[in-house]
Amino acid sequence: MASVTIEQVRKQYGAVPVIQDVSIDIDDGEFVTLVGPSGCGKSTLLRMLAGLEDISGGEIRIGGRVVNDIAPKERDIAMVFQSYALYPHMTVAENMGFALKLKGQDKAAIQNRVKEAADILALGPLLDRLPRQLSGGQRQRVAMGRAIVRHPQVFLFDEPLSNLDAKLRVTMRAEIKDLHQRLKTTTVYVTHDQIEAMTMADRIVVMRGGVVEQIGRPLDLYDRPVNTFVATFIGSPAMNLFNGSIVDGRFVTDDGKALPLPPGYSGGAARTYGIRPEHLAIAESGIPVTVGVVEPTGAETHLVVKLGALDTTLVIRDRVDVRPGQSVAIAPDLAKIHLFSAQGARLN
Amino acid sequence: MSDIAISTPQAQMTRTHSAVGSLRIVQTACILVIALVIVSPLFMLLIASLKDDRFQILADMGSFRAFWVSDPTFANFAEVGNFSGELAFGRYLLNSLIILALTVGSGLIVNSMAGFVLAWGSVRGRALILSLVIALYVIPQESIIMPLVIMVSRAGMTDTFAVQIVPWIASPLYIFLFYQFFAQLPKELVEAAQIDGASIFRIYRSIFLPLSLPALATVSILMGIESWNQYLWPILVTQTDYARPIAVAIATFFGQDSIYWDRAMAASVLMMLPILALYLAFQRWFVSSFVGSAVKG
Ligand SMILES: Nc1ncnc2c1ncn2[C@@H]1O[C@H](COP(=O)(O)OP(=O)(O)OP(=O)(O)O)[C@@H](O)[C@H]1O
Ligand SMILES: [Mg+2]
């Protein structure tokens, strides 16, 4: 196990910068997820950690050792690919033991380690099968088995669950997290699924366009996003954002609807007003809106209402009796309001 | 109402069935005729090789007796399969087999390595090398054969096995074939192996070679046929029996005044057998759905 330090790392393909001055400190044993929209450079950063891509600038240290110019096999890392990349002609046991065989370990030692990993992942009955004789979820587990037999310093995962169906994804999510709690190996996990990031990570790194937007614990990111990008990226349904400006102690949207400000807020520069769907409630008196869509999910009800011309989402814990077209009043929880500048940076 | 609704699709189905059926018959008949045309000379050859009397063979040609032998004998084979005597083809057969085995064996290694490095090695000027390889393929063998003859005779290599093997080991066609096969394998396979600690040679040997059985089989068959049928080149570079291949030996045999048809037929059958065996041994690898499971979820 080891800490990982990424310092001012840059990557460019030709003249095109793909990663720009990224710095992340990962503690020994920590589980960090990298999230961001497609093409933001998550895989590239992970592959630089693995040694599969050159580093254009900056420094990467694993366990205090600078690894910029060290080959993948010498970095003591293991990687699980989105496509699993199992060796098709080797059995499950051979797939898992391949790295140990290359290290020159003897047969009995390899067998022990493979068996140990197979026990952890419940792969025992499958050891003699070929990858093509396995289901998607089993292949995924074998890919993890191949990583854990080596007892590496760091696990790297690149969207390991995205080829699985939704139900299996949830199961495997829990399984990976459980595995991490048992093995306590430092883990960097790439995903574009913010729920995966929220539920699994000790800390989340949100990236966009090759730069880090925010690093923090899941709930900190949720409660205090540093900018509008993180605010809308984390959380589902996404945070409601309204553009406008502050007039006479109230926030007035561009089409003239007035929204209340948090008590005691005095900054005048706010240009965007954010409120999460679950922090809006139907109230006796408040902002008048028209109900558009009603989506009962059982546990909660999602409402899409028209606030002026803007679609606004509410998540209500209780069952509500409203119909599309009906006029109601809504009110935000004043303590949960987010205010952002014209550049999108958090103000409160 | 419902009766009609049910019977209509059934009637349609029957009609389609019979249409498909008669098409099948026509197809099968065509294939049979074509197969007959292709197979009958071979069959004739085989039958003739089992007849003892060379004048009878000539007399039987052109009648249905060419396809029938009443008292088959392997005497012809015993004679031509020999290593000594006027008509002993055993030696040439062995020569051809040695040349084939060494050409195909080294050809598989050299061409697949070159293809692998072009596909996955860190090669400067990969595109240039690839276009050179393809350009080389366009040059017909015959056009470089005279300079090549001069080269090998200056080097004192004539009348050896090596001279019939070495020039044909590396081949642009097979390098390109391997390159294409390797290049379509997923990059993650290479990367996973790199992380597992495999050197580039180890990746080639332990992962790519085992996965390329279809390509290896295809190249083996093509190279084998090519080597087996080499004719112009061995004529130019062999003077004695020492390394002469069977294709050349049989041809010179037919040039002689009195032709022993019976033994010539047996020799021709013998010449066909190894290449047929090679094909049968490898053809099941021609189609392989093996690699798909590497990555697909
Ligand atoms: N070999 C390459 N040459 C040029 N540009 C590349 C190369 N590889 C990646 N890129 C670019 O780098 C950027 C980041 O790619 P990367 O694969 O890291 O994205 P990602 O965040 O993993 O996206 P996804 O969620 O879709 O996997 C993309 O804009 C991509 O086009
Ligand atoms: Mg990616």
Side-chain angles (χ1 to χ4, degrees):
Chain A
M1 276 171 276
S3 63
V4 175
T5 310
I6 298 168
E7 212 171 271
Q8 301 277 299
V9 161
R10 281 182 291 112
K11 174 73 187 178
Q12 49 201 50
Y13 290 108
V16 186
V18 172
I19 300 280
Q20 298 170 48
D21 291 327
V22 166
S23 298
I24 307 169
D25 273 312
I26 300 168
D27 288 338
D28 188 2
E30 201 175 12
F31 194 119
V32 166
T33 57
L34 302 180
V35 277
S38 186
C40 71
K42 309 178 292 286
S43 297
T44 306
L45 188 59
L46 195 77
R47 293 164 55 78
M48 286 197 284
L49 271 177
L52 298 171
E53 298 280 355
D54 293 334
I55 299 166
S56 308
E59 202 170 88
I60 294 181
R61 292 192 295 275
I62 296 177
R65 182 173 63 134
V66 178
V67 295
N68 284 35
D69 297 317
I70 290 180
K73 60 173 170 178
E74 253 112 63
R75 295 191 181 194
D76 207 0
I77 44 114
M79 184 155 168
V80 176
F81 294 84
Q82 176 175 2
S83 59
Y84 316 142
L86 302 177
Y87 311 124
H89 58 299
M90 296 187 195
T91 63
V92 168
E94 285 165 346
N95 261 285
M96 298 208 298
F98 189 58
L100 302 177
K101 191 170 152 193
L102 291 175
K103 273 191 195 153
Q105 302 210 355
D106 62 77
K107 274 217 173 80
I110 296 176
Q111 230 172 18
N112 280 341
R113 292 271 283 275
V114 167
K115 193 179 168 307
E116 175 198 74
D119 286 345
I120 294 177
L121 292 164
L123 285 171
L126 306 177
L127 282 178
D128 292 324
R129 297 233 197 131
L130 289 172
R132 70 192 142 118
Q133 298 164 326
L134 301 175
S135 72
Q138 290 167 334
R139 282 179 208 178
Q140 214 287 326
R141 256 205 286 273
V142 175
M144 290 199 335
R146 192 166 63 177
I148 67 175
V149 282
R150 297 173 47 197
H151 300 169
Q153 304 258 28
V154 182
F155 283 138
L156 305 175
F157 291 88
D158 193 355
E159 307 202 16
L161 305 184
S162 56
N163 281 344
L164 303 177
D165 64 55
K167 201 169 166 193
L168 198 52
R169 206 144 59 205
V170 175
T171 318
M172 289 307 297
R173 199 162 82 193
E175 210 165 297
I176 292 177
K177 194 167 178 186
D178 178 55
L179 193 68
H180 176 254
Q181 265 148 19
R182 272 196 276 173
L183 302 177
K184 299 263 187 297
T185 307
T186 313
T187 301
V188 183
Y189 186 105
V190 165
T191 175
H192 61 250
D193 177 348
Q194 56 92 20
I195 303 235
E196 228 167 86
M198 290 290 285
T199 51
M200 298 174 85
D202 294 325
R203 278 193 305 154
I204 297 178
V205 178
V206 182
M207 292 179 66
R208 175 173 61 160
V211 299
V212 171
E213 295 283 343
Q214 189 170 4
I215 304 179
R217 284 179 301 178
L219 292 182
D220 291 346
L221 253 59
Y222 192 81
D223 293 339
R224 293 188 60 81
V226 293
N227 56 33
T228 48
F229 174 76
V230 178
T232 47
F233 194 81
I234 300 289
S236 171
M239 183 188 286
N240 298 299
L241 293 180
F242 308 99
N243 291 329
S245 53
I246 292 178
V247 180
D248 296 338
R250 297 206 298 178
F251 188 89
V252 180
T253 64
D254 287 344
D255 58 354
K257 302 286 172 188
L259 306 170
L261 285 174
Y265 180 78
S266 55
R271 282 290 184 283
T272 303
Y273 182 105
I275 185 79
R276 292 207 180 271
E278 66 272 30
H279 299 144
L280 282 170
I282 294 180
E284 297 285 297
S285 66
I287 311 146
V289 295
T290 318
V291 176
V293 182
V294 182
E295 297 174 330
T297 67
E300 51 196 28
T301 308
H302 295 192
L303 295 181
V304 181
V305 301
K306 286 265 184 235
L307 196 154
L310 293 170
D311 277 339
T312 304
T313 313
L314 281 77
V315 173
I316 308 213
R317 287 288 127 77
D318 304 314
R319 301 202 174 169
V320 283
D321 185 26
V322 291
R323 277 171 311 282
Q326 191 178 338
S327 292
V328 294
I330 59 171
D333 179 343
L334 294 182
K336 302 288 171 61
I337 292 165
H338 308 262
L339 292 167
F340 303 98
S341 71
Q343 287 74 40
R346 181 180 196 86
L347 294 174
N348 63 332
Chain B
M1 279 286 270
S2 65
D3 274 343
I4 296 169
I6 290 169
S7 71
T8 309
Q10 264 179 350
Q12 268 174 0
M13 217 142 70
T14 328
R15 213 176 310 138
T16 338
H17 260 228
S18 64
V20 168
S22 50
L23 191 67
R24 261 278 161 77
I25 292 171
V26 173
Q27 270 182 345
T28 313
C30 285
I31 290 170
L32 265 178
V33 169
I34 294 169
L36 217 63
V37 168
I38 293 172
V39 167
S40 57
L42 291 177
F43 187 64
M44 220 163 94
L45 176 69
L46 187 68
I47 292 296
S49 73
L50 297 172
K51 292 177 180 172
D52 205 16
D53 184 345
R54 62 184 161 124
F55 299 110
Q56 189 61 46
I57 291 174
L58 282 180
D60 285 351
M61 271 226 211
S63 77
F64 278 110
R65 268 175 302 170
F67 295 104
W68 177 248
V69 54
S70 44
D71 48 348
T73 166
F74 287 101
N76 299 324
F77 288 96
E79 191 153 353
V80 298
N82 234 324
F83 278 76
S84 57
E86 193 195 354
L87 297 170
F89 283 97
R91 155 161 226 143
Y92 307 123
L93 201 60
L94 189 65
N95 287 349
S96 275
L97 280 174
I98 292 170
I99 293 166
L100 176 135
L102 291 176
T103 310
V104 173
S106 10
L108 288 181
I109 296 171
V110 168
N111 294 312
S112 67
M113 273 190 180
F116 175 73
V117 169
L118 278 175
W120 293 106
S122 43
V123 184
R124 270 168 183 265
R126 183 197 320 266
L128 182 70
I129 297 175
L130 270 175
S131 51
L132 269 178
V133 166
I134 295 167
L136 276 177
Y137 174 55
V138 174
I139 301 172
Q141 219 185 66
E142 283 74 14
S143 69
I144 56 161
I145 214 156
M146 284 332 283
L148 208 53
V149 168
I150 295 166
M151 262 172 68
V152 298
S153 68
R154 288 275 163 80
M157 281 175 75
T158 45
D159 219 15
T160 58
F161 282 99
V163 75
Q164 296 181 74
I165 296 167
V166 176
W168 313 123
I169 290 176
S171 151
L173 173 64
Y174 304 132
I175 291 177
F176 191 69
L177 204 142
F178 276 115
Y179 163 80
Q180 281 218 307
F181 185 85
F182 289 143
Q184 49 101 27
L185 289 172
K187 180 173 155 204
E188 285 87 355
L189 227 44
V190 178
E191 295 178 339
Q194 273 177 344
I195 290 176
D196 271 349
S199 63
I200 180 129
F201 179 73
R202 193 66 198 239
I203 296 174
Y204 160 79
R205 185 168 77 77
S206 297
I207 296 173
F208 278 65
L209 266 197
L211 288 179
S212 64
L213 287 179
L216 290 171
T218 308
V219 171
S220 296
I221 293 178
L222 294 178
M223 262 191 125
I225 293 173
E226 197 180 45
S227 160
W228 196 252
N229 292 342
Q230 279 281 357
Y231 180 68
L232 181 58
W233 178 248
I235 283 189
L236 294 172
V237 297
T238 59
Q239 281 100 38
T240 68
D241 286 349
Y242 169 66
R244 180 169 294 158
I246 189 159
V248 174
I250 286 191
T252 44
F253 174 69
F254 277 105
Q256 286 169 353
D257 297 337
S258 57
I259 298 174
Y260 292 87
W261 282 107
D262 46 352
R263 290 154 216 184
M265 295 298 176
S268 303
V269 169
L270 279 186
M271 179 173 169
M272 263 169 37
L273 286 182
I275 210 72
L276 206 63
L278 188 76
Y279 176 75
L280 290 178
F282 284 122
Q283 57 106 15
R284 77 191 178 99
W285 294 110
F286 262 172
V287 184
S288 173
S289 55
F290 206 91
V291 176
S293 65
V295 161
K296 295 273 152 56

